Amino acid sequence: MTTQFGKSCHLHLIDGSAFIFRAYHALPPLTRKSDGLPVGAVSGFVNMLQRYVEGNTGPDAATHVAVIFDKGSHTFRNDLYDQYKANREAMPEDLRPQIPLTRDATRAFNIACEEIEGFEADDIIATLAHQARDAGGRVTILSSDKDLMQLVGGGVEMLDPMKNKRIDTDGVHEKFGVGPERVVDVQALAGDSVDNVPGAPGIGIKTAALLINEYGSLEELLDRAEEIKQPKRRQTLIDNRDQIELSKQLVQLDCDMELPFDLDSLEIKDADPETLMGFLAEMEFRTVTKRIADKLGIEAPVIADVAPTPIETSAAEAVPFDQATYSKVADAATLEDWIGRIRERGYVAVDTETTGLNEMTADLVGICLCVEAGDACYIPLTHKASASDDLFGSDELAQGQMGLDEALALLKPVLEDPSVLKIGQNMKYDAKIFARVGIDIAAMDDTMLMSYAMNAGLHNHGMDGLSERYLNHKPIEIKSLLGTGKSAITFDRVPIEDAVKYAAEDADITLRLWQLFKPQLHEKCVTTVYETLERPLVPVLAQMERTGVKVDRDTLSRMSNAFSQKMAGLEAELYELAGREFNVQSPAQVGTILFDEMALEGGKKTKTGQWSTPADVLEDLATEHDFPARILDYRQLAKLKSTYTDALQTHINVETGRVHTSYSIAGANTGRLASNDPNLQNIPVRTEEGRRIREAFVAEPGKTLVSLDYSQIELRILAHIAGIDTLKQAFKDGHDIHAMTASEMFDVPLDEMTPDIRRQAKAINFGVIYGISGFGLARNLRIPRAEAQGFIDRYFERFPGIRTYMDDTVAFAKEHGYVETLFGRKINTPEINAKGPHAGFAKRAAINAPIQGTAADVIRRAMIRMPAAIAGQPAKMLLQVHDELIFEVAEDGVDQLIETAREVMEGASDPAVRLDVKLAVDAGQGANWAEAH
DNA sequence: ACGCTCACG
DNA sequence: GACGTACGTGAGCGTA
């Protein structure tokens, strides 16, 4: 039941951003006890809302209310003037994750919460104020922002909530020296250094008001500027007319927005106590929860009092490692006791022990838990009886273990409870193992990913290394339990007593690393990266990997046979050409034949003193001789057969009939994923023969493979970061970017472009991304080095922004020791100040990392959003190949999937980063990957 | 275990 | 002035 907004109604419009910043600065940096999430501003915000709700009584009480927020940083004003708000300082790192929580808080209070992409909160406020005023109602804007003063009058007032001071028409006069209707004129002249509105140089509010009052309006003033007596002031207004008019456009609020809601929907509603309490409890606000509960006359929910996360780095080291303190859990009562302690604490480090490294085939052997440094246990579950009296190993279970099902049934509720944080090292592995026994881990932190967010480029992020580096403790080596090579045993054959020490230690180390890393995330300003680009990817990848992709064994098998035959023929031919038999696959032997026996020119040796025979050298020789040409043919076939048609077959899972790769999240320093076991990111495509291997990657009957890939994403990002207008425009117009580059560089009109000139420009475009050098380009294009250098010089001349980008990036790296992506991912560059040949590598890597890394961030964001976006559609995301996502879709769902996935991918940078260049996504489909790509 | 070569973006 | 160079990966093979 809603009343029509009208005469007797009173609308309150709350400036949400102002509330947030006030709350942020007014409160100390509180963190949520259980996991260290910064919540100080949320707490202040909640208090302000509560005080507002409590105070909204009496004759001035609102009947309708909304909290209005800014959304995104790019608005129509940036399109008018790209420097608008350019001086704004970046949002503090610990405030960023709190922004969405303030929306949640508003909704929890059952107060309307509005934001619209591309507009500032002020525009929404302006539009609503006008609508309410026109409907005959009364409006109070709760804000002290002077930009909103233009709205005052005709029943619209402002209220500064801190000073509790009302601002009416007189108040505006006091501030601006003119009435509300002329405020924008004054602002247009005076400008605003905070928002970077230029205004007229040398004119402030006082002078502006004087002029406006004299001439009546800004337009009148500008038209009659010649009449101004003071010569300097006159000249300023004449010279800066455009800038002043632009300024007016910038400060003028949009009162005429199309809103997707109406005034009636803002009517005040009581909060739903359960929702509100739920939110407050989730935030772990004890005091305010109790206060509001008392007010509502209800019982306050119990908030588990978990121990605060130790902040002192010494805490992790204070307790010495002692394997004797680890205990074995072998009965339900003891396990229940542990679970009680976990619930009490609110977090637990978890590690699984299994029979292997492949999560799809390895079986769960035991689970370890740790709640406090030095306090860890191991729950053996499926250890086999001692192998010592049975040469082949017994299949009987060892004594002294509780039942697998019983243990899992007890653990499942706490592992799936989102209010209990599960801490792991490489949680994707454990999550997949648990998923296979029906447990869906909820709420987790990952020490490997924390290290990656902070230390990419400095070192690897494996547990043993992290332990030695940060805890000064060398863990028990798994080798000492399992042995190596052929005689290695699986973990289920390890005696339980030994397993307890090893396994519990892993959980202990993980917990201590977490205690150390958690507060460091904020100190190193990578909380947002960890929270938005690392952690949420874990469940997404786990699902993709478990789904796998169907690979047709017969297709591969047939190809293998065909390759074998061709190779046999080539082998005979090669023996003939060489005059003797030799190992065709040995570069050393091939080198001897080419450069010693055949005495060809151009051979180089590797650092180990062997002849070097890479493809490009052989290609040069192949123009004159058959032997190197046949070697190249042979090598291509051998590669395809051994790495692809043969090896892929061994990766087909017997249960699923599919291939399940595993993605390393923390492998590549730039933020890219890496695929392994098997690597599905390097399936051939560049040659026709290799491309056919993709025919073996198929959709299930009735389904279709769909591939969507970003078009030229790295060049688009380069154009944005380096601010290259010509490139930006070319992308906007949908031009062939390499042809355009060629045209610019070589002064060839586009309609006279030859493939060869375009090819050269393409090589230069890519070279730029890699940190171009004359040498590298010369080798790639096989042209003299001087000529290559000439191209590069020319390129920099035509696109000077790129030179600046490269120089600035290297300078930044030298100063800070890292470079950054647009999303704040930091890539450390410890070698950047090194002397000698290392320096060149480090420089080029530093130039490349922000570009490659930003592209990696973009597709990560798309992948993280994808499951929710395609929920309900008959589609599954299967693979990622750096700029490409592959889906398996029911045939009648293909069009919808493409539409949805494209939207997610093209909008992946929003709203965190507004790219000057739109992202474009190409789509393909087919029964197999060759057709879909 | 390491180097060489080559598959991908 | 010389030196050594495109960026980021993973895997299979030969050689030690």
Side-chain angles (χ1 to χ4, degrees):
Chain A
M1 197 185 74
T2 49
T3 34
Q4 184 80 31
F5 189 94
K7 248 187 166 51
S8 58
C9 294
H10 184 180
L11 171 65
H12 277 181
L13 293 169
I14 297 174
D15 180 352
S17 303
F19 264 44
I20 292 172
F21 277 93
R22 187 159 288 159
Y24 176 75
H25 291 294
L27 274 104
L30 303 176
T31 54
R32 181 157 72 181
K33 241 182 173 183
S34 61
D35 64 356
L37 179 75
V39 289
V42 184
S43 161
F45 187 86
V46 164
N47 273 304
M48 290 162 80
L49 278 187
Q50 173 61 15
R51 248 180 290 144
Y52 166 78
V53 171
E54 282 175 20
N56 188 35
T57 56
D60 277 348
T63 57
H64 295 66
V65 64
V67 183
I68 315 294
F69 294 99
D70 293 313
K71 183 167 191 179
S73 55
H74 187 101
T75 69
F76 69 91
R77 292 186 178 82
N78 297 97
D79 297 332
L80 287 172
Y81 180 53
D82 61 0
Q83 292 300 302
Y84 180 67
K85 292 206 174 176
N87 296 341
R88 275 284 159 95
E89 266 183 58
M91 183 178 294
E93 186 64 28
D94 58 335
L95 178 55
R96 205 177 279 274
Q98 302 188 64
I99 301 300
L101 297 174
T102 59
R103 272 63 163 173
D104 294 344
T106 311
R107 287 185 212 104
F109 274 91
N110 210 4
I111 296 175
C113 165
E114 306 294 351
E115 53 193 312
I116 293 172
E117 188 75 47
F119 291 89
E120 290 181 54
D122 289 358
D123 296 310
I124 305 174
I125 291 174
T127 301
L128 286 170
H130 276 229
Q131 285 180 4
R133 187 195 64 194
D134 295 347
R138 194 178 150 196
V139 180
T140 303
I141 300 166
L142 282 79
S143 173
S144 53
D145 188 344
K146 58 181 174 14
D147 294 340
L148 290 165
M149 291 188 180
Q150 57 183 278
L151 302 171
V152 169
V156 181
E157 288 185 352
M158 284 176 69
L159 176 66
D160 181 338
M162 289 317 281
K163 296 178 193 149
N164 203 21
K165 191 178 144 205
R166 285 207 162 262
I167 300 161
D168 52 13
T169 310
D170 291 343
V172 175
H173 240 288
E174 211 173 286
K175 173 90 191 168
F176 280 104
V178 293
E181 65 286 352
R182 291 289 159 230
V183 163
V184 285
D185 291 353
V186 171
Q187 286 183 297
L189 282 172
D192 186 326
S193 58
V194 178
D195 291 347
N196 207 28
V197 173
I203 293 185
I205 288 185
K206 287 269 161 61
T207 316
L210 203 77
L211 287 166
I212 294 299
N213 282 324
E214 191 177 339
Y215 288 84
S217 74
L218 183 67
E219 290 68 31
E220 189 74 19
L221 168 68
L222 292 176
D223 285 344
R224 292 164 47 200
E226 301 286 350
E227 302 170 20
I228 297 171
K229 294 173 199 84
Q230 298 87 340
K232 198 162 171 217
R233 202 175 281 176
R234 180 173 63 233
Q235 206 52 45
T236 300
L237 290 186
I238 293 169
D239 291 350
N240 293 289
R241 181 171 184 139
D242 289 351
Q243 188 174 311
I244 295 164
E245 284 172 339
L246 171 70
S247 298
K248 180 160 176 175
Q249 283 184 284
L250 293 175
V251 298
Q252 179 85 56
L253 298 179
D254 185 348
C255 311
D256 257 339
M257 289 175 60
E258 296 263 350
L259 296 178
F261 55 91
D262 59 17
L263 288 172
D264 299 338
S265 67
L266 308 180
E267 186 169 14
I268 287 187
K269 293 174 290 237
D270 284 335
D272 170 43
E274 204 173 302
T275 310
L276 181 54
M277 287 298 130
F279 173 79
L280 297 173
E282 196 191 326
M283 291 293 106
E284 298 169 18
F285 296 154
R286 285 175 184 74
T287 320
V288 71
T289 305
K290 178 138 187 359
R291 209 180 77 218
I292 296 178
D294 288 350
K295 207 107 201 159
L296 295 170
I298 59 172
E299 189 79 10
V302 179
I303 299 169
D305 191 15
V306 297
T309 306
I311 300 295
E312 328 81 71
T313 53
S314 57
E317 297 155 17
V319 183
F321 280 92
D322 180 2
Q323 289 150 12
T325 64
Y326 301 146
S327 60
K328 180 180 92 166
V329 173
D331 60 88
T334 315
L335 181 54
E336 277 168 354
D337 186 51
W338 271 89
I339 291 171
R341 293 174 60 202
I342 291 167
R343 290 206 170 275
E344 213 172 285
R345 190 156 285 248
Y347 59 80
V348 59
V350 183
D351 187 31
T352 55
E353 301 302 334
T354 64
T355 54
L357 288 173
N358 185 326
E359 320 83 308
M360 289 303 295
T361 52
D363 290 317
L364 185 60
V365 175
I367 298 168
C368 25
L369 306 170
C370 177
V371 291
E372 194 176 341
D375 190 3
C377 71
Y378 179 59
I379 314 160
L381 296 168
T382 60
H383 282 259
K384 300 290 199 298
S386 168
S388 58
D389 39 27
D390 181 347
L391 192 63
F392 301 103
S394 165
D395 277 343
E396 268 173 56
L397 289 179
Q399 295 294 307
Q401 309 181 82
M402 64 186 298
L404 176 67
D405 293 341
E406 186 187 16
L408 292 179
L410 287 171
L411 283 166
K412 183 175 162 86
V414 72
L415 292 175
E416 295 189 341
D417 186 342
S419 69
V420 176
L421 183 72
K422 271 67 66 177
I423 300 156
Q425 163 75 14
N426 189 14
M427 274 296 257
K428 180 158 66 68
Y429 183 90
D430 305 278
K432 285 171 76 178
I433 294 292
F434 277 122
R436 282 183 42 227
V437 294
I439 292 176
D440 186 13
I441 298 266
M444 58 98 190
D445 255 338
D446 191 323
T447 48
M448 179 182 78
L449 300 186
M450 290 180 166
S451 174
Y452 181 59
M454 295 188 288
N455 306 315
L458 294 181
H459 53 70
N460 293 331
H461 315 285
M463 192 186 72
D464 292 6
L466 294 178
S467 178
E468 285 188 54
R469 184 180 289 267
Y470 294 104
L471 304 177
N472 203 19
H473 172 73
K474 190 171 163 60
I476 307 175
E477 289 188 65
I478 188 71
K479 272 192 291 187
S480 69
L481 296 180
L482 304 183
T484 53
K486 257 188 118 137
S487 60
I489 57 168
T490 46
F491 202 82
D492 55 341
R493 300 281 175 192
V494 172
I496 291 177
E497 282 62 43
D498 299 339
V500 169
K501 293 181 188 138
Y502 168 85
E505 186 186 68
D506 276 3
D508 191 6
I509 290 168
T510 303
L511 187 87
R512 293 180 198 230
L513 286 173
W514 179 76
Q515 291 175 332
L516 186 66
F517 289 163
K518 192 82 187 177
Q520 286 182 358
L521 286 176
H522 288 129
E523 290 161 21
K524 305 206 170 173
C525 300
V526 289
T527 305
T528 304
V529 169
Y530 172 73
E531 300 280 350
T532 64
L533 297 172
E534 313 291 352
R535 194 169 63 167
L537 199 58
V538 172
V540 178
L541 289 176
Q543 185 58 56
M544 289 168 67
E545 294 169 14
R546 277 169 51 75
T547 306
V549 58
K550 183 167 166 124
V551 172
D552 186 64
R553 185 186 296 277
D554 289 346
T555 306
L556 291 178
S557 185
R558 274 198 302 273
M559 288 179 179
S560 276
N561 290 335
F563 290 147
S564 289
Q565 292 195 1
K566 280 197 188 174
M567 284 162 70
L570 281 168
E571 194 177 50
E573 211 178 317
L574 280 160
Y575 293 164
E576 186 82 14
L577 287 165
R580 65 179 177 94
E581 295 197 359
F582 65 102
N583 186 346
V584 183
Q585 306 221 70
S586 163
Q589 293 183 35
V590 168
T592 306
I593 292 170
L594 280 170
F595 304 117
D596 293 332
E597 297 175 16
M598 296 174 70
L600 299 182
E601 298 290 316
K604 287 200 189 102
K605 298 234 171 144
T606 66
K607 48 187 157 184
T608 52
Q610 308 267 16
W611 286 113
S612 172
T613 62
D616 56 347
V617 171
L618 266 48
E619 274 163 27
D620 287 343
L621 299 173
T623 55
E624 301 283 332
H625 303 277
D626 281 343
F627 182 85
R630 297 293 85 78
I631 289 284
L632 284 168
D633 293 342
Y634 185 94
R635 277 190 185 170
Q636 195 200 1
L637 296 174
K639 177 78 176 178
L640 294 176
K641 179 165 151 52
S642 69
T643 310
Y644 299 104
T645 55
D646 287 350
L648 263 175
Q649 294 185 56
T650 71
H651 281 98
I652 299 175
N653 185 296
V654 283
E655 276 173 47
T656 63
R658 297 167 77 95
V659 171
H660 305 264
T661 184
S662 177
Y663 291 97
S664 327
I665 313 178
N669 290 336
T670 53
R672 272 198 179 178
L673 301 179
S675 160
N676 45 45
D677 288 305
N679 183 354
L680 295 186
Q681 290 180 324
N682 71 346
I683 303 302
V685 71
R686 291 172 187 170
T687 66
E688 175 53 30
E689 210 153 22
R691 217 168 72 91
R692 296 204 48 201
I693 290 174
R694 295 183 172 222
E695 292 172 7
F697 289 75
V698 295
E700 295 279 355
K703 297 187 176 172
T704 303
L705 286 188
V706 173
S707 158
L708 293 102
D709 68 295
Y710 283 109
S711 163
Q712 306 286 9
I713 186 170
E714 291 192 347
L715 277 176
R716 286 173 197 261
I717 287 167
L718 174 69
H720 172 92
I721 295 184
I724 314 296
D725 290 331
T726 334
L727 282 180
K728 288 186 204 171
Q729 193 59 42
F731 278 123
K732 206 170 194 172
D733 299 340
H735 285 158
D736 175 337
I737 203 69
H738 301 309
M740 196 284 304
T741 307
S743 170
E744 279 284 326
M745 279 187 59
F746 303 115
D747 292 320
V748 179
L750 278 174
D751 49 15
E752 289 171 29
M753 187 58 54
T754 70
D756 197 56
I757 299 175
R758 183 182 178 278
R759 184 181 60 82
Q760 296 194 332
K762 182 175 172 179
I764 298 168
N765 275 333
F766 282 112
V768 162
I769 291 171
Y770 300 148
I772 201 158
S773 75
F775 182 91
L777 183 65
R779 205 178 56 170
N780 191 292
L781 287 177
R782 299 178 182 221
I783 55 176
R785 200 171 150 174
E787 196 180 337
Q789 191 56 53
F791 287 177
I792 294 169
D793 294 343
R794 184 100 180 182
Y795 190 92
F796 285 148
E797 222 172 86
R798 292 300 162 106
F799 306 105
I802 295 200
R803 218 304 123 65
T804 315
Y805 162 74
M806 292 175 133
D807 293 346
D808 290 353
T809 304
V810 171
F812 185 95
K814 283 186 168 166
E815 187 187 340
H816 297 98
Y818 66 85
V819 291
E820 250 182 329
T821 68
L822 288 181
F823 297 91
R825 174 185 301 284
K826 293 177 168 53
I827 297 111
N828 292 284
T829 56
E831 297 282 289
I832 195 77
N833 288 316
K835 296 275 174 279
H838 289 318
F841 278 114
K843 265 191 192 178
R844 291 191 296 273
I847 289 166
N848 173 259
I851 303 168
Q852 188 181 114
T854 298
D857 291 346
V858 165
I859 198 165
R860 277 183 183 228
R861 290 167 64 90
M863 293 172 74
I864 289 165
R865 292 172 181 179
M866 199 61 76
I870 66 171
Q873 295 190 29
K876 284 178 173 160
M877 182 159 61
L878 306 185
L879 300 173
Q880 188 249 41
V881 192
H882 308 307
D883 63 359
E884 175 186 17
L885 294 174
I886 291 124
F887 298 81
E888 187 174 28
V889 193
E891 278 166 6
D892 58 4
V894 168
D895 291 345
Q896 200 198 342
L897 184 276
I898 290 176
E899 188 186 324
T900 310
R902 174 178 273 144
E903 198 174 307
V904 170
M905 289 174 75
E906 291 184 344
S909 64
D910 299 327
V913 169
R914 269 312 259 263
L915 293 173
D916 296 340
V917 184
K918 275 202 181 137
L919 297 175
V921 167
D922 297 326
Q925 53 174 298
N928 61 59
W929 196 0
E931 289 177 23
H933 185 78

